[in-house]
Amino acid sequence: EVQLVQSEAEVKKPEESLKISCEVSGYIFTAFWIGWVRQMPGKGLEWMGIVYPGDSDTRYSPSFQGQVTISVDKSISTAYLQWNSLKASDTAMYYCARRPEGLNYFDYWGQGTLVTVSS
Amino acid sequence: DIQMTQSPSSLSASVGDRVTITCQASQDIRKSLNWYQQKPGKAPKLLIYAASNLETGVSSRFSGSGSGTDFSFTISSLQPEDFATYYCQQDDNFLITFGPGTRLEIK
């Protein structure tokens, strides 16, 4: 069974750093892209970036380039989304999702990680 | 970037109704258009991929059509569990954008 299990909710202060995770199981981690999607409170879905664990090829949305870092650890089948300096406007739900290689959709999603940034 | 618009932004309907949502791309995306359903507090769920292909396990009351810039998504007979928000999404060589969503509410 394909599963993407995300790390627990986080409460952080502005300017703090954060790394959230997405651990996958039930398929070959290195053979599918993993994307990250933001959903701000009461708002729609925004694609942030995507990584191919096989070779760490990473693409970012222009809106998020330089704001976050996406990485993987193949040894533990886990993808990460990282901030060096959080802002209040980073408060949102963050989802990871699997994208099959050569196909243009997200077929499996994590349960989401709620990040709250408040002083 | 390719921009996506959806219409309507919200919709009230009754169980048993047939409803259609449209999605328009700012440039030709061939058939690279997907539809997702999101219920409150839950992750999105893929319903339709490549404009008209039903994802495995998804009810056949959901359907999609279109190509180029104009797409539509139809629920043939609304069921209580269909009240949710629906998003279209395109993927142009890893420049991925979602539509703003259509909130489907019970009348």
Side-chain angles (χ1 to χ4, degrees):
Chain A
E1 179 192 7
V2 173
Q3 287 191 303
L4 286 72
V5 178
Q6 297 186 230
S7 48
E8 295 296 313
E10 300 271 3
V11 179
K12 307 292 280 186
K13 292 183 174 7
E15 300 182 16
E16 289 187 330
S17 62
L18 176 64
K19 193 173 190 178
I20 64 175
S21 65
C22 173
E23 182 179 2
V24 315
S25 60
Y27 72 93
I28 300 172
F29 180 57
T30 52
F32 293 78
W33 294 81
I34 294 284
W36 287 94
V37 175
R38 182 176 80 174
Q39 188 166 39
M40 299 177 76
K43 302 299 184 182
L45 305 170
E46 301 173 89
W47 173 68
M48 303 175 71
I50 195 165
V51 60
Y52 189 69
D55 60 6
S56 294
D57 183 7
T58 308
R59 320 288 178 92
Y60 292 94
S61 161
S63 300
F64 292 93
Q65 179 82 48
Q67 307 304 307
V68 297
T69 302
I70 293 170
S71 60
V72 298
D73 184 335
K74 289 190 285 189
S75 68
I76 55 172
S77 299
T78 300
Y80 299 97
L81 177 65
Q82 179 177 355
W83 295 259
N84 289 334
S85 181
L86 287 160
K87 302 183 283 289
S89 58
D90 292 318
T91 295
M93 182 71 81
Y94 294 88
Y95 294 102
C96 63
R98 188 184 84 161
R99 178 189 187 271
E101 169 65 4
L103 299 175
N104 294 354
Y105 53 81
F106 294 111
D107 59 353
Y108 286 89
W109 292 68
Q111 83 277 17
T113 295
L114 179 62
V115 174
T116 303
V117 183
S118 174
S119 55
Chain B
D1 291 7
I2 296 175
Q3 306 302 315
M4 309 299 293
T5 57
Q6 276 184 246
S7 184
S9 57
S10 64
L11 174 60
S12 293
S14 301
V15 173
D17 283 355
R18 178 184 179 90
V19 299
T20 296
I21 298 167
T22 62
C23 180
Q24 186 168 60
S26 59
Q27 61 191 71
D28 187 348
I29 57 171
R30 300 169 301 284
K31 302 195 83 169
S32 185
L33 191 284
N34 312 306
W35 291 95
Y36 299 85
Q37 175 193 67
Q38 188 180 32
K39 296 183 179 179
K42 299 294 186 183
K45 175 186 176 183
L46 177 67
L47 300 179
I48 301 287
Y49 64 92
S52 59
N53 294 277
L54 192 67
E55 172 69 344
T56 302
V58 172
S59 171
S60 58
R61 66 179 179 274
F62 298 103
S63 64
S65 65
S67 65
T69 61
D70 295 301
F71 301 85
S72 64
F73 171 81
T74 297
I75 308 173
S76 59
S77 178
L78 274 172
Q79 298 302 300
E81 61 267 30
D82 299 339
F83 292 94
T85 300
Y86 293 85
Y87 295 92
C88 60
Q89 174 248 323
Q90 69 81 29
D91 182 342
D92 175 39
N93 194 26
F94 296 103
L95 286 177
I96 298 167
T97 49
F98 290 89
T102 295
R103 185 174 179 181
L104 180 52
E105 301 174 318
I106 300 173
K107 185 182 286 185

